[in-house]
Amino acid sequence: MPWQEVRIHADSAHAEALSDALFDLGALSVSIEDAAAGTAEEKPIFGEPGMPVEALWEHSVVIALLEHDADAATLVAAATASAGVATGNFTVSQVEEQDWVRLTQSQFDPIQVSDRLWITPTWHEATPNAINIALDPGLAFGTGSHPTTWLCLQWLDQQLLPGESVLDYGCGSGILAIAARLLGAGETHGVDIDMQAMTASRQNAEQNRVQADFYLPDEAPERVYDLVVANILTNPLKMLAPLLASRCRPGGRLVLSGILAEQAEDIIAIYANQFDLAVSASREGWVRIAGTRR
């Protein structure tokens, strides 16, 4: 049976409350999108830990998925009353039942990093005569599709030395630690604050038949590495500078990403007392910073 999709326009002050009310009244799922998406007025919203950001778009669309037999008009009236907004205009459309697993899988093709390195979802055939990282989309960040992950993978493919010890700080899905091992790294550890990342990383390492250990920050070994890679965001990278420096041996190398081009100078300056760093590549407005510890 098809479902019903309800779209309700709301301002930023009420969109969250409206979303919560729709859930409470039985919506199967609710999302909030920019009402101007796909137009010249579309507004991206970026945020990172420790930095204030605008919570939502000034003009949003709250989208709810309902059962096929739900009374959409009654539910919308109740939800808007609960959220303290006028009912206003809303639309209802039918969403036909589909093979959602197959549809989702069709959106993820293998990603080429180089001639020899690919990220390949498990439902695709491995690329012959290449190193294939078997990785499916999951709960933790890092499938290779984001520019910052791709930049770090490219560095590992081009610069990693055989047998080097590696720390992947902010490991997410474990993709960088797994890639390092497949490319010939020695002892490799990953660290993340998210327990779901621990689960995902360990499962992905097992799936790729590599040995890599993953830790929450308080459980991580206090040791130094030949290479430290951190693909996080600018604000955490600033706060983590002393810790990351303490984990990189003198003469060891540091690779940082998750940094927008306009933020690069700030990051380089913060690490300058212990590292010689420079922007080594960019992709879609994001940069990779790399260098050596003095």
Side-chain angles (χ1 to χ4, degrees):
M1 297 294 290
W3 293 282
Q4 299 180 81
E5 181 185 85
V6 177
R7 302 174 68 92
I8 312 168
H9 284 258
D11 59 32
S12 60
H14 296 97
E16 286 280 9
L18 183 55
S19 173
D20 292 342
L22 288 164
F23 259 129
D24 292 342
L25 290 164
L28 301 174
S29 68
V30 183
S31 61
I32 302 174
E33 297 181 2
D34 184 359
T39 73
E41 286 73 41
E42 182 176 2
K43 180 181 178 183
I45 293 179
F46 297 104
E48 57 184 81
M51 297 185 69
V53 295
E54 182 181 353
L56 290 170
W57 300 275
E58 182 179 354
H59 301 292
S60 300
V61 179
V62 181
I63 305 169
L65 189 68
L66 310 181
E67 294 282 6
H68 71 279
D69 57 352
D71 186 336
T74 299
L75 188 145
V76 169
T80 52
S82 175
V85 296
T87 299
N89 293 326
F90 66 93
T91 61
V92 181
S93 59
Q94 299 295 311
V95 178
E96 295 300 325
E97 188 169 2
Q98 301 186 52
D99 184 340
W100 297 106
V101 171
R102 188 177 298 276
L103 179 62
T104 300
Q105 289 180 346
S106 71
Q107 298 171 0
F108 292 92
D109 291 324
I111 298 169
Q112 183 176 14
V113 179
S114 70
D115 288 342
R116 68 165 178 166
L117 183 61
W118 290 73
I119 304 105
T120 307
T122 56
W123 55 83
H124 281 277
E125 291 291 329
T127 301
N129 304 315
I131 297 170
N132 287 265
I133 306 171
L135 198 71
D136 297 335
L139 295 175
F141 176 78
T143 61
S145 60
H146 194 274
T148 62
T149 310
W150 192 92
L151 287 167
C152 292
L153 289 167
Q154 182 195 53
W155 191 97
L156 290 170
D157 178 58
Q158 296 174 350
Q159 302 292 335
L160 181 70
L161 299 176
E164 281 191 306
S165 58
V166 177
L167 173 63
D168 175 10
Y169 204 96
C171 59
S173 68
I175 185 172
L176 299 181
I178 293 165
R181 287 291 282 161
L182 290 172
L183 290 164
E187 189 171 15
T188 299
H189 295 161
V191 175
D192 204 289
I193 62 172
D194 186 355
M195 195 61 222
Q196 285 186 338
M198 294 294 94
T199 302
S201 293
R202 290 164 183 160
Q203 290 175 345
N204 289 331
E206 182 178 356
Q207 180 171 270
N208 283 274
R209 300 178 183 177
V210 300
Q211 175 60 48
D213 298 318
F214 299 94
Y215 304 94
L216 295 170
D218 292 342
E219 301 169 353
E222 294 188 11
R223 53 159 291 182
V224 295
Y225 298 82
D226 299 316
L227 171 64
V228 176
V229 183
N231 179 30
I232 316 178
L233 284 169
T234 294
N235 206 45
L237 287 175
K238 290 179 179 179
M239 294 185 291
L240 288 168
L243 174 63
L244 297 181
S246 73
R247 296 290 179 260
C248 186
R249 68 167 176 83
R253 295 181 293 171
L254 178 69
V255 179
L256 306 174
S257 197
I259 306 159
L260 293 168
E262 59 268 25
Q263 301 168 332
E265 288 187 9
D266 286 345
I267 290 292
I268 291 172
I270 286 171
Y271 284 79
N273 62 334
Q274 297 188 69
F275 291 89
D276 295 316
L277 297 177
V279 173
S280 63
S282 64
R283 187 176 177 91
E284 298 177 23
W286 300 88
V287 299
R288 181 185 70 218
I289 293 173
T292 304
R293 184 176 179 192
R294 290 192 294 274

